[in-house]
Coordinates of all heavy atoms in Angstrom, one line a residue:
A1 N -45.5 -54.4 1.2 CA -44.3 -53.7 1.1 C -43.1 -54.4 1.8 O -43.2 -54.8 2.9 CB -44.5 -52.3 1.9
F2 N -42.1 -54.4 0.9 CA -40.8 -55.0 1.4 C -39.7 -54.5 0.5 O -40.0 -53.9 -0.6 CB -40.9 -56.6 1.2 CG -41.2 -57.1 -0.1 CD1 -40.4 -57.3 -1.2 CD2 -42.7 -57.2 -0.4 CE1 -40.8 -57.6 -2.3 CE2 -43.1 -57.6 -1.7 CZ -42.1 -57.8 -2.6
V3 N -38.5 -54.8 0.9 CA -37.3 -54.6 0.0 C -36.8 -55.9 -0.3 O -36.5 -56.8 0.5 CB -36.2 -53.8 0.7 CG1 -35.0 -53.7 -0.1 CG2 -36.7 -52.4 1.0
L4 N -36.7 -56.2 -1.6 CA -36.2 -57.5 -2.2 C -34.8 -57.4 -2.9 O -34.6 -56.5 -3.6 CB -37.1 -58.0 -3.2 CG -36.8 -59.3 -3.9 CD1 -36.8 -60.5 -2.9 CD2 -37.9 -59.6 -5.0
S5 N -33.9 -58.2 -2.3 CA -32.5 -58.2 -3.0 C -32.5 -59.6 -3.7 O -32.5 -60.6 -3.2 CB -31.5 -58.2 -1.9 OG -30.2 -58.4 -2.5
T6 N -32.3 -59.4 -5.0 CA -32.3 -60.7 -5.9 C -30.9 -61.1 -6.2 O -30.1 -60.1 -6.2 CB -33.2 -60.4 -7.2 OG1 -32.4 -59.5 -8.1 CG2 -34.5 -59.9 -6.9
G7 N -30.8 -62.3 -6.8 CA -29.5 -62.6 -7.4 C -29.4 -61.9 -8.7 O -30.5 -61.5 -9.3
G8 N -28.3 -61.8 -9.4 CA -28.0 -61.1 -10.5 C -28.7 -61.6 -11.7 O -29.0 -61.0 -12.7
G9 N -29.0 -63.0 -11.6 CA -29.5 -63.5 -12.8 C -31.1 -63.5 -12.9 O -31.7 -63.7 -14.0
L10 N -31.7 -63.4 -11.9 CA -33.1 -63.3 -11.7 C -33.8 -62.4 -12.7 O -34.8 -62.7 -13.4 CB -33.7 -63.1 -10.3 CG -35.2 -63.2 -10.3 CD1 -35.6 -64.4 -9.5 CD2 -35.7 -61.7 -9.7
P11 N -33.4 -61.1 -12.7 CA -34.1 -60.1 -13.7 C -34.1 -60.5 -15.1 O -34.8 -60.0 -15.8 CB -33.4 -58.9 -13.4 CG -32.7 -59.0 -12.1 CD -32.4 -60.5 -11.9
C12 N -33.1 -61.5 -15.4 CA -32.8 -61.8 -17.0 C -33.6 -63.0 -17.3 O -33.5 -63.6 -18.5 CB -31.4 -62.1 -17.0 SG -30.3 -60.7 -16.4
Q13 N -34.4 -63.6 -16.6 CA -35.1 -64.7 -16.8 C -36.7 -64.4 -17.0 O -37.2 -63.7 -16.3 CB -35.2 -65.7 -15.5 CG -33.8 -66.1 -15.1 CD -32.9 -66.7 -16.2 OE1 -33.3 -67.6 -17.0 NE2 -31.7 -66.2 -16.3
G14 N -37.2 -65.0 -18.2 CA -38.6 -64.8 -18.6 C -39.1 -63.3 -18.4 O -38.4 -62.4 -18.8
D15 N -40.1 -63.2 -17.7 CA -40.7 -61.8 -17.6 C -40.5 -61.3 -16.2 O -41.3 -60.4 -15.8 CB -42.2 -61.9 -17.9 CG -43.0 -62.8 -17.0 OD1 -42.5 -63.4 -16.2 OD2 -44.2 -62.7 -17.0
H16 N -39.5 -61.7 -15.5 CA -39.3 -61.4 -14.2 C -39.1 -59.8 -14.0 O -39.7 -59.1 -13.1 CB -38.0 -62.0 -13.6 CG -38.2 -63.5 -13.4 ND1 -37.2 -64.4 -13.1 CD2 -39.4 -64.2 -13.3 CE1 -37.7 -65.5 -12.9 NE2 -39.0 -65.5 -13.1
M17 N -38.4 -59.1 -14.9 CA -38.2 -57.7 -14.7 C -39.5 -57.0 -14.9 O -39.8 -56.0 -14.2 CB -37.2 -57.3 -15.7 CG -36.6 -56.0 -15.4 SD -35.5 -56.1 -14.0 CE -35.8 -54.3 -13.4
A18 N -40.3 -57.3 -15.9 CA -41.7 -56.7 -16.1 C -42.4 -57.0 -14.8 O -43.1 -55.9 -14.3 CB -42.3 -57.4 -17.3
R19 N -42.4 -58.2 -14.3 CA -43.3 -58.4 -13.1 C -42.8 -57.7 -11.9 O -43.6 -57.1 -11.2 CB -43.4 -59.9 -12.7 CG -44.1 -60.8 -13.6 CD -44.0 -62.1 -13.3 NE -44.7 -63.0 -14.2 CZ -45.9 -63.6 -13.8 NH1 -46.5 -63.4 -12.9 NH2 -46.4 -64.4 -14.9
M20 N -41.6 -57.5 -11.7 CA -41.0 -56.6 -10.5 C -41.4 -55.2 -10.9 O -41.7 -54.5 -9.8 CB -39.5 -56.9 -10.5 CG -39.2 -58.3 -9.9 SD -37.4 -58.5 -9.5 CE -36.6 -58.4 -11.1
N21 N -41.2 -54.7 -12.1 CA -41.7 -53.2 -12.3 C -43.1 -53.1 -12.1 O -43.5 -52.0 -11.7 CB -41.3 -53.0 -13.7 CG -39.7 -52.6 -13.8 OD1 -39.1 -52.3 -13.0 ND2 -39.2 -52.8 -15.1
E22 N -43.9 -54.0 -12.4 CA -45.4 -53.9 -12.1 C -45.7 -53.9 -10.6 O -46.7 -53.4 -10.2 CB -46.1 -55.0 -12.8 CG -46.2 -55.0 -14.4 CD -46.6 -56.3 -15.0 OE1 -47.2 -57.1 -14.2 OE2 -46.6 -56.4 -16.3
S23 N -44.9 -54.6 -9.9 CA -45.1 -54.7 -8.5 C -44.5 -53.7 -7.5 O -44.9 -53.5 -6.4 CB -44.6 -56.1 -8.0 OG -45.2 -57.1 -8.7
G24 N -43.7 -52.8 -8.1 CA -43.0 -51.9 -7.3 C -41.8 -51.1 -8.0 O -41.7 -51.1 -9.2
L25 N -41.0 -50.5 -7.2 CA -40.0 -49.7 -7.8 C -38.8 -50.7 -7.9 O -38.4 -51.3 -6.9 CB -39.6 -48.6 -6.8 CG -38.2 -47.8 -7.2 CD1 -38.6 -47.0 -8.6 CD2 -37.9 -46.8 -6.0
T26 N -38.1 -50.8 -9.0 CA -36.9 -51.6 -9.1 C -35.6 -50.6 -9.3 O -35.8 -49.5 -9.8 CB -36.9 -52.5 -10.3 OG1 -37.2 -51.8 -11.6 CG2 -38.0 -53.6 -10.2
V27 N -34.5 -51.0 -8.7 CA -33.3 -50.3 -8.7 C -32.0 -51.1 -9.4 O -31.8 -52.2 -8.9 CB -32.9 -49.8 -7.4 CG1 -31.7 -49.0 -7.4 CG2 -34.1 -49.0 -6.8
W28 N -31.5 -50.5 -10.3 CA -30.2 -51.1 -11.0 C -29.0 -50.5 -10.3 O -28.7 -49.2 -10.4 CB -30.2 -51.0 -12.4 CG -29.0 -51.5 -13.0 CD1 -28.0 -52.3 -12.6 CD2 -28.6 -51.1 -14.4 NE1 -27.1 -52.5 -13.6 CE2 -27.3 -51.8 -14.8 CE3 -29.1 -50.4 -15.4 CZ2 -26.6 -51.7 -15.8 CZ3 -28.4 -50.3 -16.6 CH2 -27.2 -51.0 -16.9
L29 N -28.1 -51.1 -9.5 CA -26.9 -50.6 -9.1 C -25.8 -50.7 -10.1 O -25.3 -51.7 -10.2 CB -26.6 -51.4 -7.7 CG -27.5 -51.2 -6.6 CD1 -27.1 -52.1 -5.4 CD2 -27.8 -49.8 -6.1
D30 N -25.7 -49.8 -10.9 CA -24.9 -49.8 -12.2 C -23.5 -49.3 -11.9 O -23.1 -48.1 -12.1 CB -25.5 -48.8 -13.2 CG -24.8 -48.9 -14.5 OD1 -24.0 -49.9 -14.6 OD2 -25.0 -48.1 -15.4
A31 N -22.8 -50.1 -11.1 CA -21.3 -49.8 -10.7 C -20.4 -49.9 -11.9 O -20.6 -50.8 -12.7 CB -20.9 -50.8 -9.6
P32 N -19.5 -49.0 -12.0 CA -18.6 -49.0 -13.1 C -17.6 -50.3 -13.0 O -17.5 -50.9 -12.0 CB -17.6 -47.8 -12.9 CG -18.4 -46.9 -12.0 CD -19.4 -47.9 -11.2
H33 N -17.3 -50.8 -14.2 CA -16.4 -52.0 -14.3 C -15.3 -52.0 -13.4 O -15.0 -53.0 -12.7 CB -16.0 -52.1 -15.9 CG -15.2 -53.4 -16.1 ND1 -13.9 -53.5 -15.9 CD2 -15.6 -54.6 -16.2 CE1 -13.5 -54.7 -16.2 NE2 -14.4 -55.4 -16.5
E34 N -14.5 -50.8 -13.3 CA -13.4 -50.6 -12.5 C -13.7 -51.0 -11.0 O -13.0 -51.7 -10.2 CB -12.8 -49.4 -12.6 CG -12.3 -49.1 -14.0 CD -13.3 -48.7 -15.0 OE1 -14.4 -48.1 -14.5 OE2 -13.3 -48.8 -16.2
V35 N -14.8 -50.6 -10.7 CA -15.2 -50.6 -9.2 C -15.6 -52.1 -8.9 O -15.2 -52.6 -7.9 CB -16.5 -49.7 -8.8 CG1 -17.1 -50.1 -7.5 CG2 -16.1 -48.3 -8.9
L36 N -16.4 -52.7 -9.9 CA -16.8 -54.1 -9.7 C -15.4 -55.0 -9.6 O -15.3 -55.9 -8.8 CB -17.5 -54.6 -10.9 CG -18.9 -54.0 -10.9 CD1 -19.7 -54.5 -12.2 CD2 -19.8 -54.3 -9.8
L37 N -14.5 -54.6 -10.5 CA -13.3 -55.3 -10.6 C -12.5 -55.3 -9.2 O -12.0 -56.3 -8.7 CB -12.4 -54.9 -11.7 CG -11.0 -55.6 -11.9 CD1 -11.2 -57.1 -12.0 CD2 -10.3 -55.0 -13.0
E38 N -12.3 -54.1 -8.7 CA -11.6 -54.0 -7.3 C -12.3 -54.6 -6.2 O -11.8 -55.3 -5.3 CB -11.4 -52.5 -7.1 CG -10.3 -51.8 -7.9 CD -9.1 -52.5 -7.9 OE1 -8.5 -52.9 -6.8 OE2 -8.6 -52.7 -9.0
R39 N -13.8 -54.6 -6.2 CA -14.5 -55.2 -5.2 C -14.3 -56.7 -5.3 O -14.2 -57.4 -4.2 CB -16.1 -54.8 -5.3 CG -16.3 -53.4 -4.7 CD -17.7 -53.1 -5.0 NE -18.0 -51.7 -4.6 CZ -19.2 -51.1 -4.9 NH1 -20.1 -51.8 -5.5 NH2 -19.3 -49.9 -4.4
L40 N -14.6 -57.2 -6.4 CA -14.4 -58.8 -6.6 C -13.1 -59.2 -6.5 O -12.9 -60.5 -5.9 CB -15.1 -59.1 -8.0 CG -16.5 -58.9 -8.1 CD1 -17.0 -59.1 -9.5 CD2 -17.3 -59.5 -7.1
K41 N -12.0 -58.5 -6.7 CA -10.7 -58.9 -6.5 C -10.6 -59.3 -4.8 O -10.0 -60.3 -4.5 CB -9.6 -57.8 -6.8 CG -9.2 -57.8 -8.3 CD -8.1 -56.8 -8.3 CE -7.8 -56.4 -9.8 NZ -6.9 -55.4 -9.9
R42 N -11.0 -58.2 -4.2 CA -11.0 -58.4 -2.6 C -11.7 -59.7 -2.2 O -11.3 -60.1 -1.2 CB -11.4 -57.1 -2.0 CG -10.3 -56.0 -2.1 CD -10.8 -54.8 -1.2 NE -12.2 -54.4 -1.3 CZ -12.5 -53.4 -2.0 NH1 -11.8 -52.7 -2.9 NH2 -13.9 -53.0 -2.0

């Protein structure tokens, strides 16, 4: 048991998303484009 914070590219490589889903609960923080833009501007 642990909480894992990955980089944004990791789930998109090979079978990483499937492996993470098999190993536990995965969460997508689906922030709206406008929110991402404001946060990244700062």
Side-chain angles (χ1 to χ4, degrees):
F2 56 87
V3 173
L4 175 64
S5 178
T6 71
L10 180 115
C12 309
Q13 305 301 314
D15 63 351
H16 291 169
M17 199 65 213
R19 286 180 183 255
M20 289 188 294
N21 282 331
E22 289 168 6
S23 298
L25 175 68
T26 57
V27 177
W28 175 19
L29 299 175
D30 188 13
H33 183 269
E34 300 77 27
V35 171
L36 294 173
L37 181 59
E38 285 308 310
R39 288 178 182 168
L40 294 175
K41 277 184 193 179
R42 289 191 308 265

